[in-house]
Amino acid sequence: MMLDDKDKHLLKLLQTDSTPTTKALSLKLDLSVTAVYERIRKLEREGIISKYVALLDRKKIDRNFVVFCHIKLMQHSREFLTRFETEVVKLDEVLECFHVSGDYDYILKVCVHDMEEYRQFMVTKLTTLQHIGSTQSSLMIAEVKNTTVFSL
């Protein structure tokens, strides 16, 4: 699907704040309410807009201890990869999981209350998953940039 300038502007507005009404968006885009509504529905049908979510402040929900956990599997067979991925998605502490190239196979973004909770997570959950060869943890010192807005 080809996006025109109005679509791109609409997407930027929705990525910044998805709560405005179609009327409010129409004023910013200089389009009719119906045109904005139809554009949004088209973007949803095409899968460009996949869902709407509320982003939570980690500090205010006591989950501001962020760890990037690098995982190396024992083997790289399809069975090992599939099994690991099936199990890791069930872990509530893991907000993101990426299959990567390089020295490690996966990078997990883990958000918990503190070091003790991370230790408990490692001991009681993560290290009980089969096929993990090794892990390395990197603790977040400061968040420099965190955005959900794609530039189009």
Side-chain angles (χ1 to χ4, degrees), residues 24-141:
L25 292 168
S26 73
L27 294 172
K28 290 182 180 181
L29 295 166
D30 195 29
L31 292 171
S32 71
V33 173
T34 304
V36 170
Y37 176 82
E38 291 301 323
R39 282 176 183 265
I40 291 172
R41 294 299 160 251
K42 178 181 70 171
L43 293 165
E44 291 170 346
R45 274 193 313 275
E46 294 293 326
I48 293 170
I49 297 175
S50 60
K51 63 181 164 180
Y52 299 91
V53 299
L55 300 176
L56 306 182
D57 184 328
R58 284 191 319 273
K59 293 175 192 165
K60 293 185 179 179
I61 61 167
D62 205 19
R63 296 290 183 271
N64 203 36
F65 193 79
V66 180
V67 181
F68 296 95
C69 184
H70 300 73
I71 307 285
K72 192 178 288 188
L73 298 182
M74 287 188 254
Q75 293 181 21
H76 298 100
S77 69
R78 177 177 288 178
E79 175 195 342
F80 279 36
L81 296 173
T82 303
R83 178 72 183 255
F84 174 78
E85 290 174 5
T86 300
E87 294 300 318
V88 79
V89 298
K90 296 176 186 174
L91 302 175
D92 292 335
E93 296 86 350
V94 176
L95 268 62
E96 299 176 54
C97 175
F98 302 97
H99 188 185
V100 297
S101 64
D103 291 337
Y104 293 92
D105 300 310
Y106 292 90
I107 299 176
L108 311 180
K109 180 180 179 182
V110 179
C111 295
V112 292
H113 170 66
D114 58 13
M115 178 62 85
E116 180 57 31
E117 190 174 333
Y118 182 65
R119 181 183 180 284
Q120 287 294 70
F121 165 75
M122 288 292 288
V123 171
T124 64
K125 293 182 179 180
L126 189 63
T127 57
T128 64
L129 300 184
Q130 295 182 11
H131 312 304
I132 292 179
S134 65
T135 66
Q136 178 182 331
S137 300
S138 299
L139 309 178
M140 180 184 77
I141 295 171

